[in-house]
Amino acid sequence: MNLFDQLDTTENQALEEISRATGPEILQQLETNYLSRKGILRGFFGQMAALPDEQKPQAGEAINRLKKVIEEKITEQRKILAAAPQTRLPEGFFDISLPGFEKVTGSFHPVYRTMQELSAIFVRLGFNIAYGPEIETEFYNFTALNIPLDHPSRDAFDTFYLSDSSVSNTGRLLLRSHTSPVQVRIMEKTKPPLQVIVPGKVFRPDTPGPSRFPMFHQIEGLMVDENVSFANLKGILSLFIREFFGSETRMRFRPSFFPFTEPSAEVDISCVICGGTGDRCPVCRGEGWLEILGAGMVHPKVFEAVNYDSEKYTGFAFGLGVERMAMLKYSINDIRLFTENHLKFLEQF
Ligand code: DAH
């Protein structure tokens, strides 16, 4: 490449580099590269010596012109940079317009959440919360609750017994099949008046299905004092049901049987799906009613087992299934969803 072509190339390159310079230090560096005593233009003057004499004045002029062009371009770029807003961010600068990092927050499991909602209602109605062991003895799970030896719930098909060696002084050990044994544990330790609920896990060897699972949750309720009546039971449960399912929900008591209550009742609510009309409703199967819990007046035999004076005290008890409550309230059609841990399901709560 002859000198004149080199000057052209250098001019293009220099102008481009200068216009891309983003700070004064870079411009300073370019100025040194091109214009200093050891710079590129100096080199061109050196090459002039090799040119034929008649080309020398022309070459000198061209190099001087390029020098001027570069100087002017650098001055111009200095002005542009000085006028432009700070390109380097001040220390500690925080750009609030940047999109944020999404924080993935967890949520409460629907069963836990429902348990909290249910408990909160009873706490407002004056109940305390108590807990009992998940591994129980036959005495607490059955005997003290007046459940006779030949009752089907005592059968190995209906209860998880721990291995035969696990015998305590109150009978064989088992996974509790309901939260009712905690009634006995509380009354053994506390004198009336008492008003408690007991949330917790219960276990039954059922084959999993849409409405059955070997582990689920219950909330037990117990209120004992002088003059506690069936009317109190109805009052508490109707307040609770309207609070949890909505004020338009109706309630009915059906006579029933539990060994640990007398009289006993099963409590239904008007169907939360069809509103009680039963009209082609798959949830209540046309009945208009849904069973939600068992309840009754504490049996004198249970009071005897805990040395309460059954002439002086009366009480009511009830037991409800937490998963069933959640399924009805949130229209969940399969109890197994609670333990399958699909995020698509859990994230809805
Ligand atoms: N323990 C009963 C069950 O698991 C439910 C129950 C019914 C509890 C009546 C009660 C009650 O306290 O009074 O099926």
Side-chain angles (χ1 to χ4, degrees):
M1 217 193 309
N2 73 35
L3 181 61
F4 293 99
D5 289 341
Q6 285 185 57
L7 289 176
D8 277 348
T9 311
T10 304
E11 178 169 348
N12 290 337
Q13 186 186 322
L15 294 183
E16 157 130 33
E17 284 177 2
I18 294 165
S19 64
R20 274 195 315 203
T22 52
E25 311 83 1
I26 300 170
L27 283 176
Q28 187 62 53
Q29 185 61 50
L30 290 170
E31 194 169 33
T32 310
N33 287 353
Y34 286 102
L35 307 176
S36 71
R37 282 198 299 118
K38 289 180 181 166
I40 292 169
L41 295 204
R42 238 334 133 109
F44 291 141
F45 282 119
Q47 287 185 42
M48 263 174 64
L51 288 176
D53 277 348
E54 68 276 14
Q55 285 187 16
K56 281 180 183 163
Q58 212 191 333
E61 231 172 79
I63 298 171
N64 277 324
R65 192 195 65 87
L66 178 57
K67 190 172 164 229
K68 223 173 141 206
V69 166
I70 291 176
E71 279 168 356
E72 280 170 9
K73 184 72 184 171
I74 287 175
T75 308
E76 184 192 316
Q77 186 68 6
R78 282 216 172 94
K79 281 190 193 144
I80 291 174
L81 288 180
Q86 279 278 24
T87 47
R88 193 183 291 160
L89 297 174
E91 197 146 330
F93 177 82
F94 180 72
D95 184 354
I96 56 164
S97 71
L98 286 174
F101 297 101
E102 195 189 345
K103 275 221 180 94
V104 185
T105 50
S107 60
F108 287 122
H109 190 279
V111 169
Y112 178 79
R113 215 192 123 120
T114 305
M115 201 122 87
Q116 296 291 86
E117 280 177 40
L118 295 165
S119 302
I121 296 171
F122 285 112
V123 166
R124 259 182 282 142
L125 292 171
F127 287 78
N128 293 309
I129 299 180
Y131 300 94
E134 289 169 9
I135 295 176
E136 264 301 1
T137 67
E138 281 183 297
F139 173 76
Y140 288 106
N141 200 77
F142 299 122
T143 315
L145 289 167
N146 193 34
I147 299 174
L149 273 173
D150 60 357
H151 194 276
S153 67
R154 287 204 177 214
D155 197 286
F157 290 109
D158 292 303
T159 299
F160 283 114
Y161 289 93
L162 276 67
S163 64
D164 281 347
S165 58
S166 346
V167 178
S168 76
N169 56 1
T170 48
R172 282 187 291 171
L173 292 177
L174 47 89
L175 298 184
R176 68 180 176 193
S177 59
H178 52 174
T179 43
S180 303
V182 190
Q183 288 187 30
V184 179
R185 290 184 173 274
I186 291 167
M187 289 192 284
E188 276 182 341
K189 284 192 289 188
T190 325
K191 291 220 168 321
L194 57 89
Q195 203 182 346
V196 287
I197 54 162
V198 182
K201 289 186 171 67
V202 301
F203 308 84
R204 296 175 193 180
D206 284 327
T207 305
S211 59
R212 276 177 207 292
F213 203 73
M215 184 281 297
F216 59 98
H217 298 76
Q218 287 187 331
I219 291 184
E220 191 80 13
L222 176 69
M223 179 170 178
V224 184
D225 199 356
E226 292 174 36
N227 303 316
V228 170
S229 72
F230 204 91
N232 297 137
L233 170 63
K234 273 191 124 167
I236 290 285
L237 290 182
S238 74
L239 282 171
F240 156 68
I241 282 166
R242 275 186 272 140
E243 191 72 19
F244 188 71
F245 288 108
S247 55
E248 69 293 346
T249 314
R250 283 165 295 131
M251 170 183 89
R252 77 174 182 187
F253 278 60
R254 269 183 298 109
S256 185
F257 173 78
F258 298 101
F260 36 92
T261 46
E262 179 61 32
S264 304
E266 267 162 335
V267 178
D268 298 341
I269 57 167
S270 52
C271 178
V272 289
I273 302 300
C274 66
T277 63
D279 200 17
R280 273 171 282 148
C281 179
V283 172
C284 65
R285 295 198 184 81
E287 291 287 324
W289 295 95
L290 297 164
E291 185 196 318
I292 58 154
L293 58 85
M297 301 305 292
V298 179
H299 199 291
K301 284 259 175 68
V302 178
F303 281 154
E304 271 170 38
V306 296
N307 292 318
Y308 272 17
D309 182 351
S310 62
E311 293 296 320
K312 189 173 174 196
Y313 296 113
T314 50
F316 66 71
F318 59 85
L320 57 83
V322 177
E323 279 81 351
R324 180 156 171 81
M325 293 288 175
M327 289 169 78
L328 292 175
K329 184 158 180 178
Y330 301 114
S331 300
I332 298 164
N333 62 10
D334 196 319
I335 195 171
R336 291 168 293 190
L337 287 166
F338 291 122
T339 44
E340 282 170 356
N341 278 339
H342 296 312
L343 284 182
K344 279 255 163 2
F345 171 72
L346 296 173
E347 276 169 358
Q348 296 173 54
F349 300 91

